[in-house]
Amino acid sequence: MNWFIPREHGAWAMLIVPYILGMLVSSASWLHLIFFIGVLAFYFASGPLLAYIRKPKLKKEVIPSLCIYISCGLLFTLPILYLFPRIIFIGFLIIPFFLLNLFFAKLKKERLFINDLVAIIALSFLVLISYYIGVGTVDAKSLLIMVINIIFFTASVFHVKTLIRERGNVKFLWSSHLFHGVTVALFFLLSLPVVAVAFLVGMLKAWFMPKAKRYKPIEIGLIEIANSIVFVVIIGVFL
């Protein structure tokens, strides 16, 4: 049986980081682990689902793994949804973004910048869900963390594309540099120096990482993972 396990390292980071941030800035508990296993199962379900959308002929191949993933997802999320039913309302907010991702997959336009942004926004709602599990509410702090997470991964997409698909595109490169620089300045102006420092690390990486060199995907992935870890530690611990 084909399990259709998602392999994009960027998507893994976009799934894990917002959830951990919401947990760290609220109150971590074993409920977070249970719900995250369910979220992970649903994420795995996106593998066979997207495979079917791209190639409808794979219908018989994707059904077994899709059913297993969805069943596991329901098994681990439903108990938490019973305890925190308002999480369902946050889930409804994610659906339109998820449908947009499916639409781009159907058009085979998944590499578009807008599709990446849609996915970032959708997965950033995990900040609110994780935060809600921790403290039982969604407040200004959780919304701020969500926005910070969106900006962080948008900057990451800018940078990664300058090294791969937009390599040699001077206009895109300067757009990336400008975005990174503005975010750091913006957070300093908003009197959020901790956030500014977290983004400063990414800015230095984007500005000074040699662009002429051809990087292997694994090299880029490891660098982005390291940057994500630094980001989580700074925001989750010091904000």
Side-chain angles (χ1 to χ4, degrees):
M1 184 175 71
N2 192 335
W3 291 96
F4 296 97
I5 297 175
R7 297 179 180 179
E8 297 82 358
H9 69 270
W12 281 94
M14 287 190 282
L15 179 80
I16 296 171
V17 168
Y19 196 83
I20 291 179
L21 282 179
M23 182 178 68
L24 290 177
V25 299
S26 60
S27 179
S29 73
W30 59 272
L31 295 177
H32 281 101
L33 177 60
I34 293 175
F35 192 81
F36 184 73
I37 293 174
V39 169
L40 198 59
F42 283 130
Y43 172 64
F44 272 46
S46 70
L49 179 59
L50 289 173
Y52 169 70
I53 289 175
R54 297 186 195 106
K55 296 181 180 180
K57 292 181 180 180
L58 294 176
K59 182 177 180 180
K60 291 184 179 179
E61 292 183 46
V62 305
I63 287 178
S65 57
L66 182 63
C67 290
I68 290 173
Y69 291 143
I70 291 178
S71 297
C72 290
L74 292 173
L75 178 65
F76 285 94
T77 57
L78 286 179
I80 308 303
L81 293 177
Y82 176 78
L83 295 174
F84 304 100
R86 292 185 179 179
I87 290 177
I88 296 173
F89 294 106
I90 302 176
F92 282 133
L93 297 176
I94 299 174
I95 291 175
F97 297 98
F98 178 67
L99 293 177
L100 271 174
N101 282 145
L102 294 182
F103 174 72
F104 283 116
K106 182 67 175 177
L107 295 178
K108 295 184 169 68
K109 300 287 186 180
E110 296 168 273
R111 301 299 181 182
L112 290 178
F113 188 92
I114 184 64
N115 186 54
D116 291 329
L117 183 58
V118 168
I120 290 169
I121 295 172
L123 293 174
S124 291
F125 278 100
L126 289 172
V127 170
L128 304 186
I129 292 174
S130 182
Y131 190 89
Y132 190 87
I133 293 173
V135 297
T137 188
V138 171
D139 55 22
K141 183 177 182 180
S142 63
L143 292 171
L144 173 62
I145 298 297
M146 178 180 173
V147 171
I148 290 171
N149 186 79
I150 291 172
I151 297 174
F152 172 77
F153 279 106
T154 301
S156 179
V157 169
F158 261 118
H159 174 61
V160 171
K161 285 188 178 295
T162 64
L163 300 175
I164 304 177
R165 295 191 174 274
E166 299 295 338
R167 188 172 180 271
N169 186 334
V170 177
K171 183 178 179 180
F172 193 90
L173 176 62
W174 281 105
S175 296
S176 173
H177 286 180
L178 180 63
F179 186 86
H180 281 84
V182 168
T183 55
V184 173
L186 176 64
F187 286 118
F188 269 121
L189 291 173
L190 291 175
S191 299
L192 292 169
V194 170
V195 181
V197 169
F199 278 85
L200 180 63
V201 176
M203 185 193 78
L204 294 175
K205 173 201 67 178
W207 282 12
F208 298 107
M209 192 170 168
K211 303 300 185 296
K213 178 182 176 182
R214 288 186 178 274
Y215 296 92
K216 296 178 180 179
I218 186 63
E219 293 176 317
I220 298 173
L222 290 173
I223 292 171
E224 291 307 298
I225 289 172
N227 188 42
S228 295
I229 292 173
V230 171
F231 173 74
V232 168
V233 170
I234 294 176
I235 301 297
V237 176
F238 298 103
L239 185 60

